[in-house]
Amino acid sequence: MTTTTTDLSQPRPDAAREPATGFWASYGRAWLHTPGSALYLLAVFVLAMISISLLASLFWTSVGLLILVIGLPLMVLTLLIARGLGVADRFMLQLTGLPRIAEPEWNRDAPTSTGFWATLTRPVRNAHYWVYLVHGMIVTPIISTISFVITTVWLSVGLGGLTYWFWGMFLPSGAENGDWGQYVSGAMPWLFGGWDANAVEIVLYLVAGVVFTFTMPWVLGGLARGHHAVATGMLGRWKSDELAAEVRAEAAARGAAVHAEDVALRRLERDIHDGPQQRLVRLQMDLAALERRAEAGEADAAADLAREARGHAKAALDELRALSSGVAPPLLQDRGLAAALDALATSSPLWVQVEVDPAIDRAVSQEVARTVYFVVAELMTNTVKHAGASAATLRATLRRSTTGAPTHLDVWVVDNGRGGAVLSSGHGLEGLRERVAGLRGILVVQSPVGGPTSVGAHIPLTVAP
């Protein structure tokens, strides 16, 4: 067995370079998103016209029919359509290159009841649906109309002015056809004196085209950012959504932890019943027989029984130590998770390569350390018993935020066995998944037939060390 320890906390030397700064660099980056912003500003106007016509007619019809049974389902349908149109708006905003708007919590107010009326009226009791309705029926038609007008003006003047020298020759000329170039040259002889009227028009259109085209990234980008700001406030997640998601995640983690502990206790009870308990019963019987032989004066037979009883006592003690080490080994309590994982690899009959970030002992709480140790011990046992592997890799690393604080613990056990491991109800990997879920983590199993098998536990570190 080969054991190595590496420090993975230092930044890589080939880290990405900082983007170029300066006016022209930022201006060039703004131009990269200008076509997408223009496409969004034109398309969202069409979506807004569809929204106001569809949602207004359906909503006011449903209000008028509320006295009848059909009014409530029609209102729910209106809210669902408003949600779909809002989602379409958020999806099209990705054309602008602006940050993606997070999905709201649509079931944040969902009751535990699953009856027909409770399910039907769920959108009515969710504030997000009403905000989406207001956005699609009132807000987005107003701002989309304004942005559409400005966008069409900037695109037509910018692109039309730059190309007027070409398509202007196909237009009729002369004073009777609105040839305004001669009036401009007459009004400003100090600038256009002696110029041909057509040349004056080409120059003025070209200047306007250059100005509008040069400012196009800022104007269209600003309009897109305005839409994005409104959509973030009305169509995105709220702070209360984060709290609701946190409560549900905590409840799910608590339920998974309780179930995992129940399964572990039942398994421990079964192991004690099948192992140490049977040996202790046999030890009790041997001691009773030893007492009878000693009273009868059969010294040799009593000595044999004493030796056999000692063997059963030693075996029971070994089994109890093995069971207790699976729960909380002394090494984990005394020297930390890194040393305990290294000891697991050392005691394995396989050749195990260990890659452990030495900072995990400072970043990981005792609760997380116990769960990780149990999961790794089970995975190593599975590797020996079921995988048919000859070597394995145990890797434990920390994921860090931009400030350098550890945010997640990633633990991988990779073997070169036959593969084919799956998460299925009632099996060992499912129990490990529930244990990890109890810490709001996830268990990832990648095990194609023929191997290799990679099992990873990814656990968030919510408590500061």
Side-chain angles (χ1 to χ4, degrees):
M1 186 197 74
T2 301
T3 303
T4 60
T5 303
T6 58
D7 187 356
L8 304 178
S9 60
Q10 299 301 322
R12 297 179 58 184
D14 55 345
R17 296 180 178 178
E18 292 293 331
T21 58
F23 172 79
W24 292 110
S26 60
Y27 183 73
R29 288 193 295 270
W31 256 112
L32 293 177
H33 302 299
T34 300
S37 298
L39 180 59
Y40 167 77
L41 293 170
L42 296 177
V44 76
F45 175 74
V46 178
L47 182 66
M49 296 302 101
I50 297 174
S51 297
I52 189 174
S53 58
L54 187 60
L55 295 178
S57 58
L58 286 176
F59 176 73
W60 294 118
T61 302
S62 67
V63 171
L65 294 176
L66 276 179
I67 193 173
L68 303 177
V69 178
I70 195 175
L72 182 58
L74 187 59
M75 181 172 291
V76 172
L77 176 62
T78 306
L79 294 175
L80 293 175
I81 294 175
R83 171 182 171 177
L85 293 171
V87 170
D89 193 346
R90 288 194 292 108
F91 178 78
M92 290 194 303
L93 269 170
Q94 299 180 30
L95 295 171
T96 63
L98 295 170
R100 180 178 176 273
I101 300 176
E103 186 80 12
E105 289 290 325
W106 296 107
N107 297 321
R108 52 178 297 182
D109 300 324
T112 56
S113 174
T114 56
F116 173 75
W117 288 107
T119 304
L120 177 65
T121 60
R122 189 170 297 164
V124 179
R125 291 177 281 108
N126 191 316
H128 280 296
Y129 283 93
W130 293 101
V131 174
Y132 269 58
L133 178 65
V134 173
H135 178 269
M137 195 168 64
I138 300 175
V139 177
T140 191
I142 296 175
I143 62 175
S144 297
T145 301
I146 298 174
S147 64
F148 178 79
V149 171
I150 297 176
T151 301
T152 52
V153 168
W154 244 259
L155 288 176
S156 58
V157 175
L159 301 180
L162 292 177
T163 58
Y164 179 77
W165 59 271
F166 173 72
W167 57 268
M169 67 178 64
F170 299 101
L171 299 178
S173 59
E176 66 278 4
N177 294 309
D179 193 354
W180 53 272
Q182 58 183 339
Y183 299 109
V184 174
S185 60
M188 292 185 292
W190 51 273
L191 182 61
F192 299 108
W195 284 44
D196 180 69
N198 187 45
V200 173
E201 289 185 6
I202 291 176
V203 170
L204 292 178
Y205 273 121
L206 183 62
V207 171
V210 170
V211 172
F212 276 69
T213 302
F214 185 80
T215 58
M216 192 176 297
W218 299 323
V219 174
L220 300 190
L223 294 174
R225 283 190 290 273
H227 278 270
H228 186 270
V230 173
T232 300
M234 301 188 70
L235 307 182
R237 292 178 70 87
W238 302 339
K239 292 183 178 179
S240 56
D241 288 338
E242 302 296 338
L243 294 176
E246 186 78 12
V247 169
R248 281 202 307 276
E250 289 290 348
R254 189 182 305 112
V258 170
H259 185 266
E261 289 300 325
D262 181 66
V263 172
L265 288 175
R266 291 178 182 273
R267 178 181 176 184
L268 181 62
E269 180 183 7
R270 184 180 64 251
D271 291 342
I272 292 176
H273 178 272
D274 296 340
Q277 181 175 325
Q278 298 299 323
R279 294 188 181 276
L280 291 174
V281 170
R282 176 62 184 275
L283 176 61
Q284 184 182 16
M285 296 172 61
D286 288 345
L287 291 175
L290 175 61
E291 182 180 3
R292 291 194 299 270
R293 296 291 176 87
E295 291 176 352
E298 301 177 6
D300 293 339
D304 292 338
L305 284 174
R307 284 191 293 269
E308 186 176 350
R310 186 177 63 180
H312 287 300
K314 182 179 182 300
L317 181 60
D318 291 340
E319 290 182 355
L320 287 174
R321 285 175 175 171
L323 291 174
S324 64
S325 66
V327 178
L331 183 62
L332 179 62
Q333 305 294 329
D334 298 337
R335 297 182 54 191
L337 180 59
L341 293 179
D342 188 73
L344 272 178
T346 303
S347 61
S348 174
L350 302 179
W351 184 90
V352 182
Q353 179 179 357
V354 181
E355 301 174 3
V356 177
D357 188 337
I360 63 173
D361 288 332
R362 298 189 301 271
V364 174
S365 64
Q366 285 294 324
E367 180 186 9
V368 173
R370 285 194 299 269
T371 299
V372 169
Y373 179 86
F374 179 85
V375 169
V376 172
E378 286 293 310
L379 292 176
M380 297 298 294
T381 301
N382 292 342
T383 300
V384 175
K385 289 184 177 180
H386 309 297
S390 60
T393 298
L394 171 57
R395 183 180 302 113
T397 60
L398 292 172
R399 262 187 284 166
R400 300 179 181 273
S401 65
T402 54
T403 61
T407 59
H408 289 76
L409 173 63
D410 298 326
V411 181
W412 286 95
V413 175
V414 184
D415 66 65
N416 62 352
R418 64 176 64 94
V422 293
L423 282 168
S424 58
S425 179
H427 289 73
L429 288 178
E430 178 64 19
L432 297 183
R433 187 197 66 79
E434 291 180 345
R435 275 187 171 268
V436 174
L439 297 174
R440 300 182 59 186
I442 59 174
L443 188 75
V444 179
V445 179
Q446 302 169 356
S447 183
V449 177
T453 296
S454 300
V455 183
H458 309 285
I459 302 173
L461 303 177
T462 55
V463 180

